Amino acid sequence: MAEGNWTRVSEFILMSFSSLPTEIQSLLFLTFLFIYLVTLLGNSLIILVTLADPMLHSPMYFFLRNLSFLEIGFNLVIVPKMLGTLIAQDTTISFLGCATQMYFSFFFGVSECFLLATMAYDRYVAICSPLHYPVIMNPRTCAKLAAVSWFPGIPVATVQTTWLFSFPFCGINKVNHFFCDSPPVLRLVCADTARFEIYAIIGTILVVMTPCLLILCSYTRIAAAILKIPSAKGKHKAFSTCSSHLLVVSLFYVSSSLTYFRPKSNNSPENKKVLSLSYTIVTPMLNPIIYSLRNNEVKNALARTFHKAMGVRNCFL
């Protein structure tokens, strides 16, 4: 609909990796499709195994199951559309579709920040108060902590998405990214966005730093408790229960911080696309691998579940 010299935007065009040659795009499609399938399979296995195996019915694996749900949701929001832009050149996305994608990317991203903090608290209680751990981390408390972890994503996603998409979008509708992320969409707004940008910066710092400080506090207390353990074997056992979570936290925070907190002068759109791939595509794939390879309980549970499944299959043959 024409209005003055502007044309209102009814859809967006995701530029994705369109600047690359077709052969490279085809290679990227195969690579990202493989990663996508591994992510869905790995996280689905974590969910199924932690539900099916009674040995994994503990708070740690309850929160790990929640993390796997988050990773699957995050991937379903972003990756299928990105694959479409690479193989079918289906680069258009409706106004509502773009807003929906942004909303759920905010929701899952914020929820993951707080869930990682909750998982750190779980490890803190397990190591610093092992005798009281079953009482403190009872099923009702775990359910409340999980709900508290998921909830912050709702107000943050609702406010940021509705506010951004209430601005007028005029003329240019090309989003220089592979999904509808806030900064590239904000560049298309033809209005004063100073207040929104201030809110977005403050909100991002709070959402990232609050869970990060909780994680640091938890692991500071954990480190102090581990150092008091007299035997080297005991120290190693205590540390091994945290190592997988520490690695996952490091991957998530380093990749997201490099994406959103780098100076603009050092953060070209192409660099940001590459950095965004690390926390939207790579990290969700690595999480189940990390927890499987570095955790004997998960490996043993996978083996037991596989043997049970083979036994049931043989009964029908």
Side-chain angles (χ1 to χ4, degrees), residues 158-195:
T158 301
V159 171
Q160 194 139 329
T161 304
T162 53
W163 192 355
L164 198 159
F165 280 87
S166 68
F167 288 119
F169 292 88
C170 315
I172 299 173
N173 66 338
K174 294 181 178 180
V175 179
N176 195 6
H177 212 328
F178 56 82
F179 74 103
C180 287
D181 198 10
S182 178
V185 173
L186 188 63
R187 294 190 188 99
L188 307 181
V189 171
C190 50
D192 183 12
T193 60
R195 286 180 62 191

Side-chain angles (χ1 to χ4, degrees), residues 64-129:
L64 178 58
R65 188 160 62 246
N66 275 262
L67 181 63
S68 291
F69 271 116
L70 275 173
E71 301 293 25
I72 290 173
F74 202 51
N75 259 243
L76 289 174
V77 168
I78 293 173
V79 180
K81 182 62 182 176
M82 182 184 67
L83 293 175
T85 63
L86 288 170
I87 194 64
Q89 300 301 308
D90 179 19
T91 57
T92 60
I93 185 170
S94 68
F95 189 89
L96 179 60
C98 188
T100 302
Q101 189 181 56
M102 184 181 293
Y103 178 91
F104 282 105
S105 65
F106 276 135
F107 170 71
F108 287 120
V110 172
S111 299
E112 182 161 350
C113 286
F114 284 91
L115 183 61
L116 290 173
T118 299
M119 294 172 77
Y121 173 73
D122 170 68
R123 293 299 82 209
Y124 157 71
V125 177
I127 291 173
C128 297
S129 302

Side-chain angles (χ1 to χ4, degrees), residues 180-213:
C180 287
D181 198 10
S182 178
V185 173
L186 188 63
R187 294 190 188 99
L188 307 181
V189 171
C190 50
D192 183 12
T193 60
R195 286 180 62 191
F196 174 83
E197 291 183 54
I198 292 171
Y199 160 80
I201 292 170
I202 294 172
T204 302
I205 291 172
L206 288 174
V207 163
V208 172
M209 292 307 298
T210 302
C212 189
L213 288 172

Side-chain angles (χ1 to χ4, degrees), residues 13-34:
I13 297 173
L14 295 173
M15 298 301 290
S16 191
F17 301 96
S18 57
S19 60
L20 298 175
T22 305
E23 295 80 6
I24 301 297
Q25 290 191 53
S26 299
L27 182 61
L28 286 177
F29 169 79
L30 294 173
T31 303
F32 295 153
L33 177 62
F34 173 76

Side-chain angles (χ1 to χ4, degrees), residues 250-295:
S250 301
L251 284 171
F252 180 79
Y253 273 98
V254 169
S255 58
S256 57
S257 297
L258 286 173
T259 303
Y260 291 104
F261 292 111
R262 291 182 74 198
K264 288 186 177 180
S265 57
N266 299 329
N267 204 11
S268 69
E270 299 307 316
N271 286 339
K272 189 165 184 178
K273 288 179 193 177
V274 174
L275 290 170
S276 296
L277 287 172
S278 60
Y279 77 89
T280 57
I281 309 295
V282 179
T283 301
M285 176 193 70
L286 291 177
N287 286 351
I289 296 174
I290 291 168
Y291 274 100
S292 298
L293 294 180
R294 298 182 63 85
N295 191 308

